[in-house]
Each structure stands twice: as structure tokens, then as C-alpha cells.
Amino acid sequence: MASSGQDVCSDGDGDVSPTVGGTHLLGFSDEILLHILSHVPSTDLVLSVRLTCRKLAALCLDKSLTHTVLLHKDYEASEDKVKQLVKEICRDVRQLDLTGCYWLSGAAVERVGRCRGLVKVNLSGCPLTSLRLSKVLSALQQLRSLAIDVNPGFDAGQLSGECRATLSRVRELKQTLFTPSYGVVPCCSRLEKLLLYFEILDRTREGAVLSGQLMVGQSNVPHYQHLRVFYARLAPGYINQEVVRLYLAVLSDRTPEHLHAFLIAAPGSFAESGATRALLESMARRVALDALQLPRLWLNGAALLQQLRLCRPVHLSFSRCALPGGHLLRRVLHAGRDLRALASLNLSGCAHCLGPDVPARKAEDDIDCSVLEALVAACGGLRHLNLSAAHHHSAEGGRHLCQLLACLRQLRSLALPVCAVAGSVAGAVPHTPPAPPVPAAPAALPRCPGKKVRVGAPAAPTPPPTSAFWALLRGLPFLERLELIGSNFSSAMPRNEPAIRNSLPPCGRAQSVGDAEVAAVGQLAFLRHLTLAQLPGVLTGSGLLRVGLQCQQLQSLSLANLGTMGKVAYMAALADMLRHCQRLQDLSACAWCRAAGPCNPRPCWPSWGAVCAWWCVTCSLASPWPPAAACSIHSSAASRRSGQH
């Protein structure tokens, strides 16, 4: 293999392409080139890069690149490109993801049937009728994993015999329901993993009221003795609760003995029924769960948590559970269960989970350190912890919550309320910040030829070493996801929760959490996802600049309600921060920036123009100032307060 540009890309006359720095790109080994090409979109890789030279033509069709094709929301993949791509790689592709490609026509989706070796295919969001789905699945005899949407008008009676034979071999099914129906579930008799997403509206577009009784006559669902994972996520609405009860009624007749994960995420009030109680009782007798998530009204029973067998649980969710900390610990920790394997614990919205068993206790009262210490000692291997949407206040003079959480060295994601990080380490010497330097006059600033002087961007502050939050993050250097969300924060456009019209003021302790605490986040060199919501103490935004400088792995940033309402003093710091976020892919921000004026695109950040255009559209939503919808708009992380971590 050439190392200096020889025997590589050439045109028809045999001229070798010029080299850069004495070494041609194609002089690298095949392993390095394959790694580089793996970051190129599949359509560009097969339809463009492959045509440049003979060497790349062979590498672009390597099985390591064509085995898995991801077109998830690839808006540049036109219908003609998708058809040509399928034609070129139909023999080699084994996994195909077309999630969210709504612009493709039914004829383009039908081409998927040519990839006869497919083992896993995701067609969620693609236009599919019953007949078209039957035609596609009839050709995919090796299929083992399927994801589809069930839209109004779906008729399982139109599925052919070949299609049903393919579905009988499927092991994993993800099904999004937009109409009351079992979809293809009755045909999948060997399911091991069933993921259900209920997105059914209570009324049709014409105003007709839907009913779960539309499913009568379709209840020939077999008993799933191979089922291991059952997951259901419900959107708000009464009809979704009625439909999921019918699914659970089938499982309650004979609970699968191999079931080890049972997860239900339901917004609002989802009361128990006779079928759900029978299912839980059957599960307590027949199965030992590794993962459990139930609606909050199901968790307040006197003996449910003691009855369920949780031998070595991996994921537990007690979101919005009203049980106090003592009761919760006795039923989960003190029941002889081994929690060393527990990797994920969701206590979002559990206002009393860390408090003592006091009848008249308020949600804003101080936490009980003994409860948290017992939790940390039993769950030392936690990787994901969610304590958001509740007040967790540390008592004066006692151990701080952040000090106790610092013992969880393996944490990779952490969600905390803003008021929980307020305060200092007990016994530490108070830190006196140095006096801020007096800025020089603009005329005295040194000027370089041809370079403008930037004035107004604040310097990043040094976090005080007495901060308990600073000490916590110093002990968790490998944290990848962090959420700091105000205890009273609620998104104006929640995805899977009922809309909340009234916004509550931030907690009083959150006033002391500001730029220095945000600057402490800069210690997390491996941070990928950051959410900051309802931090009234943020003034200049200088902490954001430190995050942008030091968190070079940051991929998503979500900001909402920073600083005082109507006063956006951190825009200069945020603009400087975005200059350094070279890997940022997702940016969500609130409409606080209405007072900041128009945005000027700058070439310093790769996607700055698109971000500023989106930002200005967001600002235009605020009328009259300040409406509830403008104060806290949808945030990718802060709005998912539906019980799942």
C-alpha cells in the first residue's frame, strides 16, 4: 500500500492526485480509512464517495459499513437517493433504520423488501398501509426485530400468510399505536421484547370520540411464554389507559415465567384496575424482576413492594412515589435484596423519598442523612440517578447531600434539583472571592492590526473550593449527563405529561446557585449532555464560558429560565461558549432572549447561522411579554418528566 500518494486516486489519464504534506489521505491503512468512512452518511458514502477512485469504491462497500445503515431523520436523503442506495447494498445490509423519514413515499418504503437479508428494520414514522407492510415483510424471512406505526385504518386481516410467518419469527417488536388496535402483536407468538408506545388521541380529527371497545373481537393474543421485557409508554389521554389495560389483561391470565423487566411510564393519574392488580399478584408469585417501573398510584400500596421479587434488580423507578424514605427503604433495601447490581434508580418527583417518617413533614423540609447514607451504601454501583422535580435541602451543620452522593464513583448520569446543590461543605473555610478587576477604557485597550477587540465577554470565574457541588463534580470526573432543574420548573410544552398552566417561582435556596456553580461543571471533561433550567442566580453567564472551554465532548445543551425574568445578561458569554462547542449537535433554549435583540450570524461556530435563525424564531413566540409559553419552552431533557430516566 502506498504511503506517499502513489497507486491511489487517479483520473482517466493516470495522473495521481496531489498530496498534502507529503502524505496522501489514501496512504493510510484500510483500518483507518474504514474508521473515517464510518462517519460519512450512507447515502453520500455509496452514491458519491464510492465514485471517486477504485480504492474507495472497494472500501465504501465493505461489509463493516453496509451491515448497518442509519437514515434516521436524514433529511438530505431524498426518495431517489434511498431507492438507489437500497439497490446498491440490498445484498449486504442487515440492519436498516428509517425512523422519521416521513417524506418517503410508499413506493420507496416498499423497496425495503429487496433487502432480503435484513435482521432488524425500523420503519417508525414511514407511510405504511396494511397491504404495503404485508408485501415488505413477506420477503424478509430472516427478520428478528421490527419497529412500525399502527395508524388508523390498519387491518391485520390483510396480512398475507408469508407475512404472518415472518412475524412469528420476530423476537423484538416496537409498536407505536395511533389508533386502538393490537397491531401485529397477535401474529408475534415468540416475542421476547415488546415495546409499546401509546399515542392515541381521545378524539378523531372530525371530533368523534374514540373508545377502547374498538378492540373487541381482536383479543386473540397468545400467551407469551418467551416474553422477557415488557415496556409501555403512555401519552396523556384516557383512551391510552383503556387500551393498555386490555394488553395487561391478557398478560394477567398467565404471566410469562421468564419476564425480568416490567416498565410502565404513565403521565398523570393512572389508577389500578382488577386486571392490573391480578397481574401484579401473579408477577409476585411467578417471576423475579430485574427492572421495575410502575405508575405512581400503583406504588402507594401497603405491601406491593414487599411482595414483588427483586433478587438483583438493575433498574428501579419510583417516580412521583408518595412513600416517605423510611417506608421505601424498608420495602426495597431492608427486604433482603441484593442491590449491588442496581445501575439505574429514578426517584424523580419523590418529595419524601429522602425524608424522615414524620406525618406533618413538608416537601421543603431538610432531608434525613441516614436515609441517604443507607441508600448510597446499598447501591454503590449506581450509574444513573434521578433526584429531580423535588426539594432536597441539606440541614445546616450536617452532611451535605452532594457530599454523600460523591461516594457513587461510577455515576454516568445525574439529575438534581437546583436547591439541592446550594450550600458549602461543612467545616470548610469560607472562600472570599477576589475583587473583580476594573476594566480598562476602550481607548486604552491594545489593538492588533486587522483584528477587532471584543469587549463585554466576562471572564470565567474560579469555583469556590468550599462549594459542596464543586466537590461532588470533582469526585465524578467521568459523568456524561448532568441535569440541574429547578424544583418548581415545568415545561410549557411537555411531551408526555399534561400541560401545566401555572408556573411556580423558584425555590428560595436556588437564588444562591449561580455562575460559580455552573463554572464547576467545567470539571467534567467527558460531559456530553447538559441541562440547566430555572437558575435565577445566573447573572453574567461566565460559568457557561468555562463549560464551553473545558467540556469539549458536549453534544447537547438545554437552557431554560436562566437569570431574572426579562433580563438576559449572559448572551455575550453564551455566544463565546458556542464558539468552543465544536461537537454540539442539539441546542434548546428558552425565550428569555427576547430582550437581547436580533441575532447576528457569525462564522466562528459551524452551525451558528442555523442556531441564530432558530433562536430568532423562538424569540418571536413571546407576545405579549412574558407569556407562560415563552417562559419555559420545550427542552429535550427537562421536558421528559414522565417517570423514565
Side-chain angles (χ1 to χ4, degrees), residues 483-529:
E483 296 184 8
L484 281 181
I485 304 174
S487 305
N488 297 328
F489 175 82
S490 59
S491 175
M493 293 184 291
R495 176 63 187 89
N496 285 306
E497 289 286 344
I500 301 176
R501 301 296 181 183
N502 299 326
S503 58
L504 300 176
C507 177
R509 296 200 181 190
Q511 301 289 342
S512 60
V513 180
D515 295 307
E517 284 72 20
V518 176
V521 180
Q523 302 176 91
L524 305 175
F526 297 94
L527 188 68
R528 297 178 182 270
H529 310 279

Side-chain angles (χ1 to χ4, degrees), residues 86 108-118 135-140:
V86 171
V109 177
E110 227 174 85
R111 297 289 184 96
V112 176
R114 298 186 178 184
C115 306
R116 300 183 180 275
L118 276 177
K135 185 176 181 180
V136 172
L137 297 185
S138 297
L140 306 180

